[in-house]
Amino acid sequence: MAALLFVLAIPLLGSVVLALTGQRDSAREINVGFSLGTFVATCALTVEVISGGPLFAWNREFYIDPLNVFLVTLTAFVGLTTAIFSRPYMRIERDHGKMTPNRMRLYHSMYQLFSFTMLLALTTNNLGILWVAMEAATLTTVLLVSVYRTPASLEAAWKYFILCGVGIAQALFGTVLLYMAAEKVIGTEGGALLWTNLDAVRGQLDPTIITLAFAFLFIGYATKVGLVPMHNWLPDAHAEGPTPVSAVLSGLLLNVAVYALLRCKVLTDGALHNHLAGQLMIGFGLLSVVVAAFFLSRQKDVKRMFAYSSIEHMGLITFAFGMGGPIANYAGLLHMTVHSLIKSGIFFAVGHATQKAGTQVMEDIRGLIKVSPTVGWGMMLGSLAILGMPPFGVFASEFLILTTAMREQPWATPFLLLSLGVAFASVFSRVQPMVFGETSVKPLRHPPALLPVFVHLGLGLLLGLYIPPYLDAWYRQAARMIGG
């Protein structure tokens, strides 16, 4: 319980401290320090849960089990590496006049508050608190996306706020319906919104109410996932906000939204005894993969291109969980992990590349391998990894998803293969001249923080070659819990 307290208290305290001191030069180091403390606390919590089993805390309002414990650690890890990356990145943005002292304070304080909301959403056992945490995450990221205060960033923030606000309102209505169904079985004083209580009586829940509840919950949380057609906020938010924000949006927020969907799917499957939830996830997941793959070929902004790549991969993950079963669920969890690591690593490299070129337009970014070999190779290797080239982890998870689809949903396999092929051609044809083309750009004054890039790519490579036994055991346990 002490470890969980530190997991939640450290980023919350960090947001308060940085709200007071975030404009100072030392704020970048303070931000890294709080992120490091959060990561250490999550590691301690993971060890506690692995050794002692699922953990309840604070009148059962918080619950850590195999489905969320490693997601908590992954969230804190990506938060730490992104904080390390943002040190030189935000210093250069300040030198270029994009960040004033007040904006730096807002950025650092909201960064820590965003980490708190993500960890709160993952650790709570109460579906009402989960909704509150997702809404708080929306508000914090709106401020992060708009931190430059340019017309484009303000427009992107408003679009994000309106679309995700409407979506999260649907999730609230679904949560209310879920409470109505649970109250009839559990009673008003029995913790009708605690997920563990709902899971214990899911077979007794009213199927009609649960069907309506899941429909609203799916629309709400799928908007946060970025599934088509609720995806329009995501490319703008990625393109107009600071690159560290793009990294945590792709690496953290989308995963947490998928996690919320999975918790709801488990209850719906148990109440309805059919595949309605899975069929919805298969349909919208496949639609997202196909649409995003073809939109990739039309992008000119490098951050928008990788934002559509995130939509594609979230669709693939949703499709995998929709199929259900031990193999598809295992593949979905593995894909969540490797996508989070590799996509955030790509955004680290993209951030340095766009700063070197002074633009996000891909046609104007050339010769990264000559200007900075590490940035160039980071961009190229990251792109190959996210496109599913072996032996990176994305290849392993996509292979499992495709082979399962061939057996369970053979009609969908041609669409998946075509979309993955189009995505590969679109991204590779644009990244190759960015890395190997001719350029006259000079190096940056400050050396880029490239350690996070290659740490993330190295972990993505490791998960393609070898999955540690404890991680494999978590995937297996979590896959069984999700069912389907």
Side-chain angles (χ1 to χ4, degrees), residues 279-332:
Q279 289 168 353
L280 275 175
M281 294 177 74
I282 287 173
F284 281 93
L286 183 61
L287 177 64
S288 300
V289 173
V290 174
V291 171
F294 283 93
F295 267 102
L296 277 169
S297 62
R298 301 176 56 189
Q299 301 311 307
K300 297 180 180 179
D301 184 298
V302 63
K303 290 173 68 176
R304 289 182 68 90
M305 180 180 73
F306 284 113
Y308 275 104
S309 172
S310 293
I311 296 171
E312 177 205 2
H313 286 280
M314 285 301 112
L316 196 60
I317 290 168
T318 305
F319 178 86
F321 288 127
M323 287 192 294
I327 298 177
N329 289 337
Y330 187 103

Side-chain angles (χ1 to χ4, degrees), residues 78 82 85 238 242-253 340 343-345 347-348:
V78 175
T82 305
F85 157 73
H238 279 66
T243 302
V245 176
S246 302
V248 293
L249 281 175
S250 277
L252 302 183
L253 179 64
S340 180
K343 183 56 66 65
S344 52
F347 275 114
F348 298 160

